[in-house]
């Protein structure tokens, strides 16, 4: 993975917390990163080139200017005022290359001096075992602060550890060994005939990323929410609010806007396309 810096841009060592999405159902992680970039007024410092990510190109996602810059699959942003780095991913990883991509991300984080990585992702609502909506949308987390995934700060914020995480379960253990270089992807074929329901979670992109950052001894926290396909904008707001709470910035300061309101990214205006032609009715 190579970072191609824009002209007169450089990596800021003070931006030691890295926030990035792990692609999953509803694209909630990507939408939350969109909100964080637009609202913190983070500046794009460059593009990341990785052979494991499918190519794509589009118009500027955040600028209201008619002459927007083109956007690419992986872009790096920084908000020095908040000591945050952000990566936005706009296209999926090549099939079968998720672990290699995660390893490259971990190497980049180490080389750029990141001390805390926050991964934003979503889980399939259809697999939620114990549904509890009494307190509204619930944030689940996974951390490498302790071996069992528990983090005291996340607990104090009222979040629940993802109970499906078991470091001794075969697929989680395989991911851990793979991230450390003690196994190969060919070894997965030995496990495929014995995979069950409990292997769903470690098969997701966030799990590979978590394991690879953990293998590099970087503090990593996954923030997760259950959702279904559809209008996932409310889930994105919920996940972005969780990031604000975790990094210890007051919402008004972090958002940096009048009234402390989130800035809606320009690209969201076309999420559902143009309104219907009313002459049809």
């Amino acid at each position: 993975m190579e970072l191609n810096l824009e002209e007169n841009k450089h990596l800021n060592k003070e931006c030691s917390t890295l926030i990035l999405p792990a692609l999953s159902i509803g694209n909630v992680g990507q939408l939350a990163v969109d909100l964080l970039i637009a609202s913190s007024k983070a500046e794009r410092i460059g593009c990341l080139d990785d052979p494991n990510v499918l190519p794509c190109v589009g118009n500027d996602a955040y600028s209201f200017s008619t002459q927007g810059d083109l956007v690419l699959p992986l872009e790096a942003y920084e908000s020095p005022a908040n000591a945050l780095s952000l990566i936005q991913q706009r296209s999926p990883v090549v099939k079968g290359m998720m672990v290699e991509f995660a390893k490259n991300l971990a190497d980049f984080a180490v080389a750029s001096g990141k001390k805390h990585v926050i991964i934003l992702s979503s889980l399939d609502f259809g697999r939620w075992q114990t549904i509890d909506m009494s307190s509204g949308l619930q944030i689940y987390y996974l951390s490498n602060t302790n071996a069992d995934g528990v983090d005291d700060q996340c607990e104090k914020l009222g979040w629940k550890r993802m109970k499906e995480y078991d470091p001794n379960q075969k697929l989680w253990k395989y991911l851990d060994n793979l991230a450390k270089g003690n196994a190969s992807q060919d070894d997965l074929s030995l496990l495929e005939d014995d995979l069950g329901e409990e292997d769903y979670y470690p098969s997701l992109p966030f799990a590979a990323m978590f394991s690879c950052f953990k293998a590099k001894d970087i503090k990593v926290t996954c923030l997760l929410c259950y959702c279904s396909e559809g209008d996932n904008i409310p889930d994105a707001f919920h996940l972005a609010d969780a990031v604000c709470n975790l990094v210890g910035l007051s919402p008004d300061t972090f958002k940096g806007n009048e009234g402390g309101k989130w800035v809606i990214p320009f690209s969201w205006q076309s999420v559902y396309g143009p309104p219907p032609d009313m002459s049809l009715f």
Side-chain angles (χ1 to χ4, degrees):
M1 180 177 289
E2 181 180 356
L3 174 62
N4 299 302
L5 291 169
E6 295 192 358
E7 189 175 358
N8 299 321
K9 299 292 185 180
H10 66 278
L11 285 170
N12 191 325
K13 294 182 179 180
E14 299 301 318
C15 297
S16 59
T17 297
L18 173 63
I19 302 168
L20 72 165
L23 273 59
S24 188
I25 185 168
N27 301 318
V28 178
Q30 292 163 289
L31 292 171
V33 171
D34 263 352
L35 272 176
L36 293 166
I37 290 172
S39 301
S40 66
K41 297 180 173 59
E43 293 186 359
R44 186 172 67 177
I45 61 168
C47 300
L48 291 159
D49 185 21
D50 190 281
N52 302 303
V53 179
L54 293 173
C56 74
V57 66
N59 198 18
D60 193 334
Y62 309 111
S63 174
F64 288 83
S65 170
T66 55
Q67 290 186 318
D69 296 325
L70 292 179
V71 296
L72 297 173
L74 279 176
E75 295 187 323
Y77 293 80
E78 284 189 343
S79 176
N82 301 294
L84 297 177
S85 294
L86 304 102
I87 290 177
Q88 181 59 295
Q89 181 182 347
R90 294 191 174 88
S91 66
V93 174
V94 175
K95 185 178 181 179
M97 302 306 293
M98 186 62 224
V99 173
E100 289 304 310
F101 172 63
K103 286 181 178 180
N104 291 345
L105 279 174
D107 288 338
F108 168 76
V110 171
S112 55
K114 306 307 177 192
K115 297 179 180 178
H116 186 193
V117 176
I118 302 172
I119 300 170
L120 308 181
S121 195
S122 49
L123 307 171
D124 185 358
F125 190 88
R127 292 179 179 267
W128 199 358
Q129 297 290 324
T130 306
I131 300 177
D132 178 12
M133 299 295 288
S134 59
S135 57
L137 294 173
Q138 177 67 50
I139 292 292
Y140 290 81
Y141 77 90
L142 181 61
S143 170
N144 66 338
T145 302
N146 293 294
D148 60 358
V150 172
D151 181 273
D152 291 341
Q153 183 184 1
C154 292
E155 291 290 326
K156 289 178 181 177
L157 290 168
W159 303 336
K160 298 179 180 179
R161 185 195 72 107
M162 192 186 77
K163 66 178 183 179
E164 291 81 6
Y165 175 67
D166 179 2
N168 296 313
Q169 190 263 353
K170 60 180 180 295
L171 201 52
W172 282 111
K173 187 178 290 186
Y174 166 74
L175 270 180
D176 189 58
N177 288 328
L178 195 60
K180 292 177 180 177
N182 298 329
S184 71
Q185 296 208 37
D186 294 335
D187 296 333
L188 182 60
S189 60
L190 302 176
L191 301 173
E192 286 180 342
D193 293 336
D194 195 30
L195 296 181
E197 283 293 313
E198 70 276 9
D199 299 301
Y200 164 70
Y201 293 93
S203 71
L204 296 177
F206 85 87
M209 293 166 68
F210 174 79
S211 298
C212 290
F213 284 119
K214 181 163 71 91
K216 293 293 184 179
D217 292 324
I218 300 175
K219 181 180 179 181
V220 54
T221 307
C222 299
L223 299 184
L224 311 161
C225 67
Y226 282 91
C227 74
S228 302
E229 292 285 3
D231 183 0
N232 299 109
I233 288 177
D235 303 297
F237 278 107
H238 190 55
L239 208 53
D241 276 326
V243 173
C244 283
N245 291 329
L246 183 62
V247 298
L249 295 172
S250 70
D252 290 346
T253 301
F254 180 75
K255 298 164 191 173
N257 309 302
E258 288 187 27
K261 294 181 179 179
W262 289 106
V263 172
I264 306 301
F266 176 68
S267 57
W268 286 20
Q269 294 185 8
S270 57
V271 168
Y272 298 109
D277 184 353
M278 299 308 294
S279 65
L280 294 175
F281 306 99

